Amino acid sequence: MLDSDLAEIYGYETKNFNRQVKNNAKKFEGDEFMFLFTKTEFEEILRCKNFTSSWGGSRYTPYAFTEQGVYMLMTVLRGDLAIKVL
């Protein structure tokens, strides 16, 4: 799942969601939890109006989380929904 989708599910802004992930980077080391799309992958595969900024382009490529990564998110997020799911 993409970072923006998970942020919406758990009630975060994507920026704050990614900040929580970066603050707990050691828990997400390795490809089994998440990976960052390359610019090419993002432009060719995932391009959609939801991923463009107001100035006409995406500022950042999204993170994609594996099933294990989604579970790991529940251990670092502080929101009510994440706590209930855990």
Side-chain angles (χ1 to χ4, degrees), residues 26-77:
K26 289 189 179 195
K27 291 186 177 186
F28 294 96
E29 288 180 347
D31 290 341
E32 66 269 8
F33 297 113
M34 70 177 205
F35 57 92
L36 185 62
F37 280 101
T38 66
K39 187 87 170 155
T40 303
E41 289 170 331
F42 178 66
E43 289 174 351
E44 291 179 4
I45 299 169
L46 299 173
R47 185 53 105 194
C48 132
K49 66 179 178 178
N50 294 334
F51 296 115
T52 58
S53 68
S54 60
W55 49 275
S58 173
R59 295 180 189 199
Y60 306 101
T61 57
Y63 284 102
F65 290 83
T66 65
E67 185 177 346
Q68 293 85 6
V70 172
Y71 180 75
M72 184 61 74
L73 282 169
M74 291 183 268
T75 68
V76 300
L77 296 177

